[in-house]
Structures are given as C-alpha cells and as structure tokens.
Amino acid sequence: MTTSSPLVTGHVGLNVTDIDRSLLFYGDVLGFDVLGEGKEDGRRFAFLGRDGTLVLTLWQQADTAFEPTRAGLHHLAFTAPSMDEVRAAESRLRDLGVDFAYDGVVAHGEGTASGGIFFHDPDGTRLEISAAAGAEDAPVPTAAAPTCGFF
C-alpha cells in the first residue's frame, strides 16, 4: 500500500468503568477539555482534546479495571515540551495521591536523555508523561529493557 503521507495517531479510545470519575481525572488533573459527550444512560462517552483537537475518547463500557496481562493497550504516553513540565505534572499528580509506577522521573533507558513519569489512571491504565531531554541523570528502573516496557 502506497500513501502520499505517513499515518499518524488520530486519537486513542479508552474503556472506563466510571466516566464521571475519568472525566475528573483526564480533564481536571491532566488538563483535557471536553469537546463533546454522550450522556444517554448505557451509552456514555466523552471526546477529550486540547485547542479543539481530539486526543482521547472515553467509553463507559468496562466492568472491571485495566488488566495488564491481557492483549490490547499497553500504556498511553503523552509528550510534554520540557522536563520542567513533566515535573510540574508529577507535582500535581502527587498532590492528588495518584499511584505511580516508579518514584519520580526515570530515564527511558540507560544513557538516554529522554524520560518521564509513569502512573495509573483511576481504572489502572498505565500512563506516561515524558520529554525528549532532561532525564540524563535520572535513574533507570531496569537496565535490560526499556522503562516503558514490562510491568
């Protein structure tokens, strides 16, 4: 298949157990705007984005929390413009008692400048906020594999 331009990710859809709780987390905590939503009982959903651009869709149709041993989404990563922004997000998330996978900023791999924070949303989905530089002196949780890899 030949295309004139490369494919890019359009948006990500996540199943959630409680859309109101997830809207608070992704909206208030991570700063996404609600671009549209469906409030019909049994068919709740929300389109989230920034500056009018769709980034994430939440679908209230899960009965249980995220299960990392099942096929499907591994983790969802967001890119910040700087490590200062990653650390500001970390501070906000810590103040709210969010569950972190690692203690603070970690490097993506041994000797890399990129890195970030890894944490979980209310349904246990693993999330990442990272920057391309600024993690040069940050620890690496596992030297034998990428930090965002196994859990």
Side-chain angles (χ1 to χ4, degrees):
M1 176 173 149
T2 304
T3 60
S4 59
S5 62
L7 295 175
V8 296
T9 302
H11 71 276
V12 174
L14 293 179
N15 282 335
V16 299
T17 58
D18 181 335
I19 200 158
D20 293 321
R21 178 180 69 175
S22 292
L23 281 170
L24 285 172
F25 181 82
Y26 285 97
D28 294 352
V29 176
L30 295 184
F32 288 103
D33 300 318
V34 176
L35 304 179
E37 63 184 307
K39 296 182 178 185
E40 182 181 330
D41 197 28
R43 298 187 62 78
R44 303 270 320 268
F45 65 90
F47 298 128
L48 305 180
R50 289 210 175 108
D51 300 321
T53 299
L54 178 63
V55 175
L56 186 64
T57 304
L58 304 177
W59 304 94
Q60 184 174 296
Q61 58 186 8
D63 294 329
T64 60
F66 177 77
E67 178 54 59
T69 60
R70 293 197 176 161
L73 180 73
H74 182 273
H75 74 284
L76 177 57
F78 300 103
T79 301
S82 70
M83 192 55 67
D84 287 340
E85 300 234 6
V86 173
R87 292 189 190 283
E90 176 190 9
S91 179
R92 285 192 311 274
L93 292 165
R94 285 202 187 281
D95 288 347
L96 295 167
V98 170
D99 176 42
F100 281 79
Y102 306 114
D103 187 27
V105 171
V106 293
H108 279 138
E110 196 71 46
T112 62
S114 67
I117 56 174
F118 295 82
F119 55 100
H120 301 92
D121 80 355
D123 283 307
T125 302
R126 190 174 189 175
L127 303 173
E128 170 186 357
I129 300 175
S130 64
E136 294 85 350
D137 297 324
V140 177
T142 306
T147 299
C148 62
F150 297 98
F151 54 88

